[in-house]
């Protein structure tokens, strides 16, 4: 019913093509992190002190197969507990992750107990292998090039960038797909062997949305909340 805040522990390009919704139809919170190592910093800056995550019903997390959210939920529980006693509410994880949920809902649909529209997972599940994505329920993302509905993944074609993007076959065939126009100018002339010390405009804006003008200083986030070993969540 939406009583429990729902947060996606995956990277932003994974949640772009598929995500869970709550019982009232609201999409899960989808952090704009690019890698899991940014999760502690995200919790410190966006979860601690946020009234959305202070509900006594707790917080629910999920990821692809259940591994990252197990680690992420434990870290969040410890951080909440160390931040003025906010750790009374539980932090839940989805056992087996999206993969297990998709297997369950597909069986329910096949046996007539559920309909495709009953699924709380919308879109496609990103996986880190040659398949790219599995278990399409519906298309919830758009091609970076033409803006048409698409869940096929590609990459920015600018050398030394290769940011994961949603790209349809037609746009990929045309070529010239870039995460942003600024990306080409940032990397132009650096060569494959050169060392890139700058990020393009779209990546800069994403980082600022997470960390402000100071950048992603995760070490500072960890100093603010010292976690301890936990045996329960």
């Amino acid at each position: 019913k939406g009583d429990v805040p729902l947060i996606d522990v995956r990277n932003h390009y994974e949640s772009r093509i598929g995500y869970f919704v709550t019982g009232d139809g609201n999409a899960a919170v989808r952090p704009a992190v690019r890698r899991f190592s940014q999760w502690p910093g995200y919790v410190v800056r966006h979860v601690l002190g946020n009234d959305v995550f202070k509900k006594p019903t707790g917080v629910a997390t999920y990821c692809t197969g259940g591994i990252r959210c197990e680690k992420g939920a434990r870290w969040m529980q410890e951080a909440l507990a160390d931040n003025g006693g906010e750790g009374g509410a539980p932090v839940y994880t989805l056992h087996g992750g999206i993969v297990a949920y998709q297997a369950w809902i597909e069986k329910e649909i096949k046996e007539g107990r559920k309909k495709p529209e009953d699924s709380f997972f919308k879109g496609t599940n990103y996986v880190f292998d040659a398949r790219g994505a599995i278990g399409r329920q519906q298309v919830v993302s758009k091609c970076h090039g033409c803006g048409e509905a698409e869940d096929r993944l590609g990459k920015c074609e600018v050398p030394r960038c290769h940011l994961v993007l949603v790209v349809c076959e037609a746009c990929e065939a045309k070529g010239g797909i870039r995460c942003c126009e600024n990306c080409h100018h940032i990397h132009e002339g650096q060569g494959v062997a050169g060392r890139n010390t700058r990020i393009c405009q779209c990546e800069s804006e994403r980082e600022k949305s997470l960390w402000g003008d100071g950048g992603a200083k995760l070490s500072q986030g960890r100093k603010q909340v010292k976690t301890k070993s936990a045996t329960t969540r």
Side-chain angles (χ1 to χ4, degrees), residues 55-81:
K55 294 184 178 181
T57 49
V59 181
T61 67
Y62 69 89
C63 60
T64 305
I67 297 176
R68 277 179 290 177
C69 55
E70 284 282 345
K71 296 179 180 179
R74 177 171 296 186
W75 202 96
M76 182 188 289
Q77 186 76 80
E78 294 174 2
L80 289 170

Side-chain angles (χ1 to χ4, degrees), residues 90-160:
V91 179
Y92 302 102
T93 62
L94 177 61
H95 181 68
I98 301 169
V99 172
Y101 179 84
Q102 286 186 317
W104 172 79
I105 194 68
E106 287 173 5
K107 181 179 179 181
E108 293 292 295
I109 293 171
K110 183 178 180 180
E111 296 180 358
R113 290 187 290 270
K114 297 285 186 181
K115 298 178 180 179
E117 57 267 29
D118 293 330
S119 175
F120 286 108
F121 185 79
K122 309 299 181 182
T124 307
N125 183 23
Y126 181 99
V127 291
F128 291 90
D129 58 32
R131 295 172 296 174
I134 59 174
R136 173 191 286 179
Q137 297 291 334
Q138 64 188 85
V139 179
V140 297
S141 49
K142 296 181 179 180
C143 173
H144 189 77
C146 64
E148 294 295 322
E150 183 59 69
D151 57 8
R152 182 179 180 275
L153 295 171
K155 292 184 178 181
C156 175
E157 295 181 4
V158 175
R160 299 184 55 77

